[in-house]
Amino acid sequence: MAKGRFAEIDVNVGLIAASMRRARHHTLIFHRVLRDVDPMSPDEPTAAWFRDLLRMLTRHFEIISLQQAVHRAHAGDLNGRTLSITFDDGYADNFLVALPILVEFGAPATFFVASGFLDGGRMWNDSIIETMRRLPNGPHEVDLPDGGTFELTDWPSRRAAAAATIAAWKHLPQTQRQASVEALAARVPALPDDLMMTTAQLRELADAPGVTLGGHTRTHPILAVLDEESARAEIVGGKQDLEGLVQKELRLFAYPNGRRDRDYRDEHARLAKEAGFDAAVATDWGTLDAKTDPYAIPRFTPWHSNLTRFSIDLARCHHGWL
């Protein structure tokens, strides 16, 4: 980013941060930080963007761990100028790309990891994206509820086909969804097996300065479509898996997909508490304050690559205008 342009954006962020006087805390949610722009996921943060973001955030906010934020909220000690950074799922680029930048700026972060995808696993939505990336040009039929034929010719058509398929299959029963994904993936020779962290990377991540690990189930199911025992097995099993690997206790949890009532319900908050988690985060937009349910902490998703727009949306979230 040009120096003059960065200075202009930095002033804008500073002015917006100065307006945040209410006792609310912001929790940012990321999934990936890529080395470079990916034509199949052009909106995912890149290393350059993430470095610019942290440079500005560390100038204008106090970045604290999510666990510290929960403690401050309980004590009524929030001031509106704090932020926490979180990552969901357990992608390898969290360790390879994001972690060095976090360490560079001394920014703590919490990583919520789905234990079942370590060491060569792949999330179902990534299987769809990677299949659409590799299918040859031409028409391709996909088993969607209302029928679907996609004409793949370029990156926009491949992105559209992946997005439509993911949206159609997201809330299917897990076994049905996995069978559909496997049938689709069988149309190409091979899919990557290095998207998620290895156990070695997880252990090194867990020992890095400022890092907290959190639970995210074993296989990232939509908890609302599971029976209670299956949901408990996912929540408890993921916690036990990670604790066994890193020899540290996990106190924080993130609901897969994370929208209240649609993806998780009150009984899943109860299960998280019974599993030994002190707090849990969702993906509903909002801020943390003294009145927030610690098992339904909202987060803010920084979708905008334009950092001025990002900061404006952050301010809107802070003031409850979203």
Side-chain angles (χ1 to χ4, degrees), residues 25-321:
H25 173 83
H26 296 271
T27 305
L28 306 186
I29 174 176
F30 296 90
H31 291 86
R32 307 192 65 180
V33 176
L34 307 178
R35 294 192 188 280
D36 301 294
V37 175
D38 177 4
M40 280 300 290
S41 304
D43 294 327
E44 287 285 3
T46 63
W49 181 90
F50 192 61
R51 180 172 283 107
D52 283 339
L53 177 69
L54 285 189
R55 183 180 295 117
M56 289 189 300
L57 292 179
T58 52
R59 284 174 185 257
H60 302 294
F61 294 89
E62 180 189 6
I63 301 181
I64 63 176
S65 72
L66 179 58
Q67 207 152 21
Q68 187 178 3
V70 172
H71 291 324
R72 287 196 190 184
H74 181 71
D77 192 27
L78 294 175
N79 59 25
R81 295 291 296 277
T82 58
L83 285 163
S84 292
I85 295 171
T86 67
F87 287 82
D88 283 9
D89 301 337
Y91 286 97
D93 55 60
N94 292 183
F95 171 76
L96 297 170
V97 182
L99 178 63
I101 300 172
L102 291 164
V103 172
E104 175 185 344
F105 287 94
T110 300
F111 295 83
F112 295 103
V113 178
S115 63
F117 301 112
L118 296 168
D119 299 314
R122 188 173 51 252
M123 298 186 70
W124 69 272
N125 53 301
D126 289 318
S127 292
I128 293 172
I129 292 169
E130 296 304 325
T131 299
M132 294 301 182
R133 186 197 301 274
R134 290 164 172 77
L135 283 171
N137 285 342
H140 295 273
E141 292 186 6
V142 179
D143 182 18
L144 303 184
D146 54 355
T149 299
F150 299 105
E151 185 73 31
L152 302 182
T153 58
D154 53 14
W155 291 120
S157 64
R158 294 173 185 277
R159 290 196 299 268
T165 305
I166 290 169
W169 291 355
K170 178 176 288 188
H171 290 89
L172 291 177
Q174 195 170 5
T175 54
Q176 180 184 350
R177 185 180 68 192
Q178 189 60 31
S180 297
V181 169
E182 290 175 2
L184 179 66
R187 301 183 192 183
V188 297
L191 296 181
D193 61 2
D194 61 352
L195 295 179
M196 313 307 287
M197 279 188 280
T198 65
T199 294
Q201 290 171 336
L202 177 76
R203 287 172 173 155
E204 193 169 343
L205 176 74
D207 289 335
V211 166
T212 302
L213 287 187
H216 199 37
T217 72
R218 273 185 167 144
T219 64
H220 202 273
I222 303 296
L223 294 173
V225 304
L226 300 183
D227 62 72
E228 183 168 317
E229 286 309 306
S230 297
R232 178 182 285 106
E234 282 281 348
I235 294 169
V236 173
K239 186 176 191 290
Q240 292 175 340
D241 291 346
L242 296 179
E243 289 176 340
L245 291 173
V246 303
Q247 294 298 295
K248 294 182 179 182
E249 187 177 17
L250 274 60
R251 308 302 302 178
L252 301 172
F253 178 72
Y255 304 104
N257 230 55
R259 301 301 293 269
R260 188 161 190 163
D261 296 327
R262 187 186 70 178
D263 302 316
Y264 80 96
R265 295 187 290 265
D266 289 344
E267 59 261 37
H268 304 113
R270 172 177 54 80
L271 292 175
K273 185 175 183 178
E274 290 174 356
F277 291 111
D278 295 332
V281 294
T283 59
D284 301 291
W285 276 28
T287 52
L288 170 67
D289 61 26
K291 297 180 180 179
T292 301
D293 180 349
Y295 291 92
I297 296 172
R299 292 186 282 178
F300 173 74
T301 305
W303 289 117
H304 297 293
S305 59
N306 181 297
L307 291 177
T308 298
R309 179 68 182 276
F310 161 84
S311 59
I312 291 171
D313 275 355
L314 186 65
R316 292 172 64 207
C317 184
H318 177 86
H319 293 291
W321 298 337

